């Protein structure tokens, strides 16, 4: 029978070191695979840019090329650009306008928290 000189404590330390080394090796492998994927992605991106040819900004293109460029069939329109109010926004504006008018007239009927009655004139 083989007896290890380190005893139970030594065996536990050896097992902990084994686990630590294997965890470090797994992390190093994972990091290496990540770096390889990033390197390949960068190479593919640079190859795609090189294959696309030189990029010329529109302001440097001749006017004839810009005039011959096709326009979109129908321009995209969104509700914000068209100036249409959002749904339900009109009623809110009307209520707000009524409250402002009432406040300007001196009759504040909001009755919200923190509202105080004017002091009686003597």
């Amino acid at each position: 029978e083989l007896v290890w000189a380190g005893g139970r404590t030594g065996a536990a330390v050896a097992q902990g070191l084994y686990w630590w080394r294997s965890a470090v090796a797994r992390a190093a492998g994972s990091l290496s695979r990540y770096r390889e994927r990033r390197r390949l992605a960068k190479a593919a991106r640079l190859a795609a840019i090189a294959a696309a040819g030189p990029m010329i900004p529109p302001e440097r293109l001749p006017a004839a090329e810009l005039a011959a460029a096709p326009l979109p069939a129908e321009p995209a329109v969104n509700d914000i650009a068209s100036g249409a109010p959002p749904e339900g926004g009109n009623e809110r504006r009307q209520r707000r306008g009524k409250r402002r008018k009432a406040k300007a007239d001196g009759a504040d009927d909001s009755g919200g928290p923190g509202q105080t009655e004017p002091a009686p004139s003597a």
Side-chain angles (χ1 to χ4, degrees), residues 8 17 29 38 41 49 54-55 59 64 67 86 91 94 96 102 108 118:
R8 289 184 178 173
L17 288 174
R38 297 294 297 170
I49 290 172
M55 304 279 274
E59 60 270 6
E91 295 83 15
Q94 289 173 353
R96 191 181 311 141
D108 186 13

Side-chain angles (χ1 to χ4, degrees), residues 4 6-16:
W4 198 58
R8 289 184 178 173
T9 305
V13 169
Q15 184 66 49

Side-chain angles (χ1 to χ4, degrees), residues 6-83:
R8 289 184 178 173
T9 305
V13 169
Q15 184 66 49
L17 288 174
Y18 169 74
W19 285 341
W20 177 259
R21 281 192 304 252
S22 68
V24 168
R26 280 193 311 271
S30 177
L31 183 60
S32 177
R33 287 186 297 275
Y34 169 76
R35 286 179 178 156
E36 180 67 12
R37 283 193 312 268
R38 297 294 297 170
R39 186 187 66 76
L40 291 174
K42 183 177 182 180
R45 192 170 54 249
L46 291 175
I49 290 172
M55 304 279 274
I56 301 173
E59 60 270 6
R60 299 200 55 200
L61 286 175
E65 287 184 32
L66 289 176
L71 294 175
E74 189 173 315
V77 177
N78 61 18
D79 292 337
I80 296 172
S82 68

Side-chain angles (χ1 to χ4, degrees), residues 103 108-117:
K103 197 172 204 179
D108 186 13
D109 61 345
S110 62
Q115 298 292 324
T116 58
E117 292 293 322

